Amino acid sequence: MSNTKETAIRYLGGESGHRSFFGGTSSKGRTIGLAVFVIGGIVGMALTSSLVVLLIAAGGAGATMLVTARTHRGTILQRRAKRSRWRSRKRLGTDVYTPYDDEEWGRLQQLATTGTKPEKAAAARALVQMRANPDGADGMGWLQYAANLPGIAWHAPIGQQPYLSVAFSVSGQLRGMETAQSLVRASAAWGRFLARRASPSSLISDIQPLTRVLPPDSARQQLWVTNRLETETAEEPWTDAQRESFYAQTKSYDQVIRRASADAMVQRHYVVVSWPLNQQFTDAAAKFGTGRDAWRALMDDEIRATVRGLTDAREGDVVALTAKQTAALILHQQNPSMPIDLVRQVEPTQFGLASHDEFSAHVVESFDPTFVHPGESDENAPAVTWWHRTAAIHGENLAVAGRSPLWSLDLLIGRELTFVRTVTFHLHLIPAGQAKAAARADVVRDMAGVVADQEKGRLVSDDSTTRMSAAQRRAADLSAGSHHHGVSWVGYITISAGSRDELAQASRQLEEACSTGLGIDHLDWQDSYQAAASGSTWPIGRGLRADSASFATRFIGRLAGRSEKEAIS
């Protein structure tokens, strides 16, 4: 039997993308800028033989290196882009989101046509602010949103391939006291679940594990107490002593519930699976019939297979969420005062709450429905304001170290983190052949760079050796017979607080916990577009652009062609 410690430890961090043709992992902006100035300088010198052209090219190359140099606050170019984007959003009015209303839309359209000049300007700005979906779920609709059926979201975001997504509620792999062997088996089972869905024949492309960390809901405990306490009846009225004892018991149970839930946080776990709407999907759906009914029939098979796979992966109780449950979760993430299981009054097509953006925050203004009695109007509920901020975790910002499957535990149940948050990782599955080819190319280019530095007597940088060791580990993991596949990933954390000051304090606490306990050197705050960034932690599969396939991979796909019409599957 293999050693438990060695089996459970995996090395993460240090990767910043595949190497370019010239080696290294420079950004596209730096590569393009340097190429323009170098080629321009060569052509200019050939045509004019002027030293001024050479100086301009050298100065441009130096400026490109300067503005694209990475720091702990990003590059100068990135900071300028954020500021420019924020000014543009404020000028256009897209920093405010108002849910679409048919009557209000008609009134604004008429006002924009017949009103005075100031009224036309105000109406035009209000029309821009009124949108069908919030920024984090742009282009999202539903393929299936009937009651008691899995909700199948249909996404067509601008500039990305359309896809379908389904959210699954899971109880988690570890519950209560578990042995180290159970932890290793659970980790291996999750790896097999991912590997089986990364093969070229699989229709699944992305998987998004998601954990919502929130204060406990004591409603069930209070209901349990209410159902078990003896009540007074008309046939047997209580004495004063019995009535006093009942009040004392009720108060005692209430104190127990409040003390048990004070400063406590609970976790709700979900897994979101995405199916791209490509030729392979439509070919598979054609075996079930025609039109959207064939898509639903195929997805019914895929959802059942995913439930079985998650169950085999030791994820506990697995249930596909309905459209109402998915929308209720999204609404809760925007307004944590809204219970996560409050689905009775939810409309699946209306899951956006009125909000506005600040440079570093997504601010939602809503109400607390828990103070509204059945039959009462929402106007009687107290108003609440929630401030949200989202940060990304990239591989190059993760310190290279051996990590167990519980490496992110401090982020999920850390005692010093008492604010509401959502932690999610987006995993884009890459078939073994494509991942192995990329890993081998990275190893060759990294080793060539290290050898060249050594032969020229230069000091080999830590970055070069780190990249090389990471590429070597990936190549070893993808060796023949390992049955492993590749993956590209990014993590996101959204924190929520009731005020700007609380959000600032939560941001500092999160940065400290990530740098000290998790080895995350830098959190990439998604400032200037926080509303859209909030969608990266919603159960809809947003937040990761898939790596473009290599020429060889696309060529092999062309050779594979389409499935035969006469084939059963």
Side-chain angles (χ1 to χ4, degrees):
M1 185 180 219
S2 60
N3 182 274
T4 301
K5 182 177 180 180
E6 293 180 356
T7 305
I9 297 298
R10 292 291 182 269
Y11 284 85
L12 296 175
E15 278 296 334
S16 55
H18 294 310
R19 316 303 180 261
S20 65
F21 179 78
F22 302 99
T25 57
S26 300
S27 64
K28 290 184 179 180
R30 170 177 286 190
T31 303
I32 294 173
L34 291 177
V36 168
F37 284 111
V38 170
I39 296 174
I42 294 173
V43 174
M45 285 291 295
L47 296 177
T48 64
S49 300
S50 173
L51 185 62
V52 176
V53 175
L54 182 61
L55 294 176
I56 293 174
T64 300
M65 295 288 291
L66 182 65
V67 300
T68 57
R70 293 175 180 172
T71 69
H72 64 285
R73 291 191 177 94
T75 66
I76 295 177
L77 190 62
Q78 290 172 342
R79 296 199 298 271
R80 296 278 296 182
K82 284 184 178 182
R83 285 293 176 185
S84 176
R85 183 189 300 113
W86 179 241
R87 288 194 297 268
S88 176
R89 292 188 62 198
K90 292 184 68 176
R91 183 179 66 255
L92 296 174
T94 56
D95 59 324
V96 177
Y97 166 71
T98 303
Y100 177 80
D101 180 83
D102 193 46
E103 293 184 3
E104 182 66 12
W105 180 269
R107 188 188 71 82
L108 291 173
Q109 286 277 23
Q110 183 178 4
L111 194 61
T113 305
T114 61
T116 62
K117 188 174 181 179
E119 289 176 342
K120 288 181 179 180
R125 189 175 184 86
L127 286 171
V128 171
Q129 296 172 354
M130 183 176 292
R131 301 186 288 278
N133 290 343
D135 293 346
D138 178 59
M140 174 180 166
W142 295 97
L143 176 66
Q144 177 173 281
Y145 60 94
N148 301 321
L149 290 176
I152 305 175
W154 187 347
H155 306 265
I158 298 174
Q160 297 184 34
Q161 183 182 42
Y163 67 96
L164 304 177
S165 71
V166 178
F168 299 85
S169 172
V170 298
S171 57
Q173 291 184 325
L174 302 179
R175 294 172 297 278
M177 299 295 292
E178 297 279 359
T179 63
Q181 289 77 11
S182 298
L183 178 63
V184 172
R185 288 194 294 268
S187 177
W190 175 251
R192 288 192 297 270
F193 170 80
L194 296 178
R196 289 168 182 171
R197 282 145 188 86
S199 62
S201 60
S202 174
L203 301 179
I204 294 173
S205 65
D206 294 353
I207 294 178
Q208 176 194 359
L210 183 151
T211 298
R212 179 69 171 167
V213 185
L214 68 161
D217 184 1
S218 60
R220 293 183 178 180
Q221 286 81 4
Q222 292 171 348
L223 180 62
W224 181 89
V225 172
T226 302
N227 292 335
R228 280 160 177 76
L229 285 178
E230 185 180 356
T231 58
E232 183 178 9
T233 61
E235 292 79 8
E236 297 182 2
W238 283 352
T239 64
D240 293 340
Q242 289 175 317
R243 194 171 291 109
E244 183 178 352
S245 174
F246 173 80
Y247 292 145
Q249 292 180 54
T250 304
K251 184 177 180 180
S252 176
Y253 278 118
D254 183 67
Q255 290 177 348
V256 169
I257 293 174
R258 290 182 180 278
R259 290 180 180 179
S261 59
D263 297 329
M265 304 294 280
V266 298
Q267 296 79 35
R268 298 288 293 269
H269 305 286
Y270 303 90
V271 176
V272 184
V273 182
S274 300
W275 290 261
L277 293 176
N278 51 21
Q279 187 66 54
Q280 185 179 2
F281 182 91
T282 54
D283 287 348
K287 310 297 182 182
F288 292 82
T290 59
R292 301 295 177 260
D293 291 336
W295 289 19
R296 297 185 187 95
L298 172 61
M299 286 300 298
D300 185 51
D301 271 8
E302 289 288 314
I303 291 170
R304 287 202 300 267
T306 303
V307 170
R308 291 194 299 269
L310 289 172
T311 303
D312 293 341
R314 302 170 61 89
E315 288 291 346
D317 299 327
V318 182
V319 179
L321 298 185
T322 65
K324 275 194 170 187
Q325 289 173 324
T326 304
L329 176 56
I330 297 174
L331 289 170
H332 163 76
Q333 290 181 284
Q334 297 171 79
N335 177 15
S337 299
M338 185 176 296
I340 201 169
D341 296 317
L342 184 62
V343 301
R344 184 172 53 186
Q345 300 176 350
V346 171
E347 173 58 42
T349 58
Q350 299 175 0
F351 49 82
L353 298 177
S355 65
H356 69 273
D357 265 20
E358 296 199 1
F359 181 76
S360 295
H362 172 213
V363 186
V364 177
E365 297 178 355
S366 186
F367 62 93
D368 189 345
T370 59
F371 285 85
V372 179
H373 295 286
E376 287 187 354
S377 173
D378 294 340
E379 298 178 354
N380 298 327
V384 294
T385 301
W386 282 96
W387 294 63
H388 310 281
R389 196 182 186 196
T390 302
I393 303 173
H394 302 289
E396 63 266 26
N397 298 326
L398 195 63
V400 182
R403 288 178 168 83
S404 73
L406 301 179
W407 72 276
S408 60
L409 205 59
D410 289 343
L411 191 59
L412 301 179
I413 61 173
R415 291 181 300 174
E416 67 277 7
L417 303 181
T418 58
F419 46 83
V420 178
R421 58 195 179 275
T422 303
V423 182
T424 184
F425 285 86
H426 296 261
L427 311 175
H428 176 67
L429 307 178
I430 303 173
Q434 180 181 347
K436 188 182 298 184
R440 288 174 176 172
D442 292 347
V443 170
V444 171
R445 288 169 181 155
D446 290 342
M447 292 183 67
V450 171
V451 171
D453 289 341
Q454 291 174 344
E455 289 180 347
K456 295 178 182 179
R458 292 195 296 247
L459 182 64
V460 179
S461 66
D462 294 338
D463 292 338
S464 299
T465 56
T466 298
R467 287 198 302 265
M468 184 178 67
S469 62
Q472 289 173 335
R473 286 194 299 271
R474 286 195 294 114
D477 289 339
L478 295 165
S479 60
S482 64
H483 303 292
H484 291 168
H485 292 264
V487 65
S488 59
W489 64 273
V490 64
Y492 289 96
I493 307 171
T494 296
I495 59 178
S496 303
S499 67
R500 177 200 293 270
D501 293 339
E502 292 179 3
L503 184 67
Q505 182 180 0
S507 300
R508 291 190 293 269
Q509 291 177 353
L510 179 64
E511 289 178 338
E512 182 179 357
C514 288
S515 61
T516 57
L518 281 76
I520 300 174
D521 298 330
H522 170 62
L523 285 176
D524 184 12
W525 294 106
Q526 306 295 288
D527 293 337
S528 77
Y529 51 98
Q530 283 291 336
S534 291
S536 62
T537 56
W538 294 350
I540 56 177
R542 301 288 178 95
L544 174 63
R545 183 185 293 274
D547 294 335
S548 58
S550 63
F551 173 78
T553 301
R554 294 195 299 270
F555 182 71
I556 293 297
R558 292 288 184 183
L559 288 180
R562 301 174 60 179
S563 62
E564 301 294 341
K565 294 182 179 180
E566 295 82 2
I568 295 177
S569 61

